[in-house]
Amino acid sequence: MIFPENFVWGAATASYQIEGAVKEDGRGQSIWDTFSHTPGKVADGDTGDVACDHYHRYQDDVGLMRELRLAAYRFSVAWPRIQPDGSGPANPAGLAFYDRLVDELLEAGIAPYVTLYHWDLPQALEERGGWVDRDTAYRFADYAALVHERLGDRVRDWATLNEPWVAAFLGYGNGVHAPGRKNPAHAMRSAHHLLLGHGLAASRLRELGAQSIMLVVNSAPVLTPAQVNDPQAVASEADAAAVDRIHALLTRQFLDPALYGRYPEEVLAAAARNGGTGHIQDGDLKIINAPIDLVGINYYNPCVVQAGPGRPADAAWPGSEDVEFAAADAPTTAMGWPIVPDGLSRLLVRLSQDYPQVGLMVTENGAAFDDVVEDGRVHDADRVSFLQGHLREVGRAIEQGADLRGYLVWSLLDNFEWAEGYRRRFGIVHVDYATQTRVLKDSALWYRDVIAANHL
Ligand code: FCB
């Protein structure tokens, strides 16, 4: 399987998951600092206080990327480093860190892909309502402009939000993520305000000269249990309706407004039943529909559902009444997530048909396994086979016409896996948190060879 000539190979991380240095150089507090320091919220009481200490070790980490011959590195900027309280002038020391990182990357021949929001909202904004409050969207656009002002001369590729579904529905719906609120109406409002922030920021970035703007979503094919292993399996009418509704809530809720300037009926109905639609103001959808160049897809596993008459909505899925979330008949990763590689090609082909106006990029894909270091090596054969299986499907999707520009593995380093803390390792590079020693896992060495050959 040969990949297109300009296919972009890379890896991704996020600020709170790797940086540490949470009190340094004027960084303000984020909702993840507050949440992780609240007993019972994160496994083993883990926090991002030190994480991979990337803030101090970024040069060595870029050295690893160079060794792996990455063409692109997707990282996120911590908003509270730039605006400690979420508004007002930029903190120069915070910008300076990303400035140094970008220079280091460019010197190594690696293109920086900057994500502006990977969930670390300034705590001060949460205290004013967080994403439930419309004003946060405007604050986000101001912050985006400050970052662009400093890095825009060297950064070509910008992502506004990472996974607004997760930020809204795990943050404000089931409360598994920061800020840990559990209110379906708040979750619906947050989703809209995140989109509004995306649209406002996209326009600002464009005005400032950004060349490539993307929105990153967690998407997945929504399948019935039978369709997991048999793509041709025909769903009953009731099951097909459940599938369509969940697809609307997961993917179309974000991509239809961003790319067509409208909400799916199913989403408006869900909002109507959960707090109403009054927060969607005239003109918002036009703002959200700001032109973008790429959609980033984070894919880990399919979403499996069937009709479940009489079931209440899941807390993370307002609007999912009468739907049963089902298990997939497939092997799982250490997260318990089913491994269904061809879910990725099914997804990419569908999205490129539904949204032909944008290019696609896999901005995250990877797996957690219980890795062990033996004699200085990590033989993570299960991760190699996971990546190999998914890359094969990336190739198939391209063959089937998907306009796919690149693939970024999640993650470069083992890191703070949100509510799961450090016990889940997603890296292709192993991190010993006690010593901060990095070891290239077998998967990293394998990935390096795939990149060098540009084929599988
Ligand atoms: C995604 C997140 C990323 C990482 C992976 C495993 O939802 O964007 O930060 O935690 O899951």
Side-chain angles (χ1 to χ4, degrees), residues 14-30 33 48-51 53-56 76-86 89-101 116 120-123 143 146-147:
S15 47
Y16 190 70
Q17 297 182 273
I18 64 165
E19 286 178 359
V22 292
K23 299 215 163 111
E24 238 156 294
D25 293 333
R27 177 185 179 278
Q29 198 175 322
S30 82
D33 296 293
D49 287 2
V50 179
D53 195 31
H54 172 77
Y55 193 78
H56 300 116
S76 77
V77 173
W79 187 347
R81 288 198 194 281
I82 310 306
Q83 292 176 303
D85 295 322
N91 164 32
L95 281 174
F97 169 67
Y98 298 103
D99 198 279
R100 295 193 296 276
L101 174 59
L116 289 160
D120 37 6
L121 184 73
Q123 178 65 28
Y143 148 71
L146 291 175
V147 179

Side-chain angles (χ1 to χ4, degrees), residues 93-110:
L95 281 174
F97 169 67
Y98 298 103
D99 198 279
R100 295 193 296 276
L101 174 59
V102 164
D103 282 345
E104 194 75 21
L105 287 165
L106 292 175
E107 207 165 299
I110 300 166

